[in-house]
Amino acid sequence: MKYQSQKVALAYFLVAMGLFGIQVLGGLLAGWIYVSPNTLSTVLPFNIIRMIHTNALIVWLLLGFFGAAYYLVPEESEREIWSVKLAYLQLAILVIGTLGAVGSYLVGIHGGREFLEQPLWVKFGILVAAVIFLVNISLTVLAGRKTAITNVLLTGLWLLSLLWIFSFINPDNLSLDKMYWWFIVHLWVEGTWELVMAAILAFLMLKLTGVDREVIEKWLYVIVATAMFSGILGTGHHFYWIGLPSYWQWTGSIFSAFEVVPFFGMMSFAFIMVWKGRRNHPNKAALLWALGSATVAFFGGGVWGFLHTFHGVNFYTHGTQITAAHGHLSFYGAYVAMNLAIITYAMPQLRQRAPYNQVLNMISFWLMTGGMAFMTFVLTFAGTIQTHMQRVVGEAYMDVQDQLGLFYLMRFGAGIAVVLGALLFIYSQLVVRRELIAPASDAMLAEDAV
């Protein structure tokens, strides 16, 4: 750790991992309810469990992004964070808002809009925290060295914070409401978050492979250009059936088909940088997570998204388990795994130790990735059957659900693997034990801090 203010990232990563554990356990419980629908139905209804599962996902990923920024920006800018106190204040606001949102959900108080169920005061708290972050991190960058990594990272974080303003707009017209809703949900995960992911990936490749910064920055700008070109108008694939003009069917189909390009670019970028790299970095687990993130993101966001992005196909498949398969694999690959990659890289330095627990960490990678892959295949098959029986044959929704019980049971089994992997990852980061991989030399650690 080169700058003392980077220690702020440790607090963000710890809270993020705590919420990560809650999120996967909530998802496992929701998966069991698909198998046994009356579980906790009078105490903790499914819709509340799902809110906690999805909201915890969003919040812990954002905390991971913020922690990553507080860790890498000082190294890129070659200066301390502008205000450490503001960074901790921002974290406190986010934690209080998260607890307040969960408490509100448990007593039945929520906004009712999927992913945006937070009470109004929580939304304002998130906005205040975002403003604090943007001021703090922007002043840090402006006062120091400017790099492509910080430029892309700041662009993504500024845009995702500004898009949050649409969460306050809730028109009475349902079509208009859904349009604004997708401005947040889509333009976050298939737009601004991709910029954050690309910036973190570039930073990791710079540190882990030793490839020249100029090469990495050229790749980064190409990835960003393709992400914004395809992602903005690609929002149209959500406008097909919500009452907006029919030209969105062709606009959405064409541009969303190109969304596979930036994901393929990130995967190619990661593997080529490792191939070209001249550094045998001791943190093998971080490299595994970085490569795994880029690869799974390509399949989840690119391939599985492409499977049902054209409006002629989407007419039959939207809202089925095919959508769930795409959502789970893409979120895990693009954002969950990338957050775990930067945590894996940064934690040894934040705790001032050589890379540790790498074997357990890498086992957790294969448990989570294997479980998520199996879950995706199971949900894809279930969604294919559901599409035919419900949308083609015309059987009733609940009758079709009764026929998918075996798939939901297998999905629950996959969820157990994911939860075990997640808990093992958290253990590997928090509990220091004797390492099974040779620690880094002093020279390597010194080189890593450059």
Side-chain angles (χ1 to χ4, degrees), residues 113-116 177-186:
R113 302 172 78 196
E114 188 179 9
F115 303 118
L116 304 179
D177 167 51
K178 279 297 183 184
M179 184 182 74
Y180 287 130
W181 184 82
W182 282 116
F183 282 179
I184 306 169
V185 177
H186 173 93

Side-chain angles (χ1 to χ4, degrees), residues 80-153:
E80 300 285 358
I81 294 170
W82 187 69
S83 173
V84 172
K85 291 181 179 179
L86 279 180
Y88 283 118
L89 175 62
Q90 174 201 345
L91 179 60
I93 292 172
L94 289 172
V95 170
I96 292 170
T98 300
L99 295 175
V102 172
S104 299
Y105 299 158
L106 292 175
V107 297
I109 300 174
H110 54 81
R113 302 172 78 196
E114 188 179 9
F115 303 118
L116 304 179
E117 299 97 344
Q118 306 84 12
L120 187 61
W121 71 270
V122 175
K123 284 187 170 71
F124 275 113
I126 293 172
L127 184 61
V128 170
V131 171
I132 291 173
F133 171 78
L134 293 174
V135 169
N136 201 6
I137 211 73
S138 297
L139 289 175
T140 303
V141 171
L142 289 173
R145 181 182 65 163
K146 286 79 175 174
T147 68
I149 292 174
T150 55
N151 290 343
V152 171
L153 181 68

Side-chain angles (χ1 to χ4, degrees), residues 3-19:
Y3 298 91
Q4 287 302 310
S5 59
Q6 289 178 284
K7 197 78 173 179
V8 172
L10 178 60
Y12 278 81
F13 290 154
L14 291 175
V15 177
M17 285 190 288
L19 284 174

Side-chain angles (χ1 to χ4, degrees), residues 201 262-272 291 294-296 298-299:
L201 179 62
F263 284 115
F264 181 76
M266 277 188 269
M267 181 179 68
S268 303
F269 162 67
F271 279 93
I272 291 173
L291 292 174
T295 303
V296 179
F298 166 68
F299 284 100

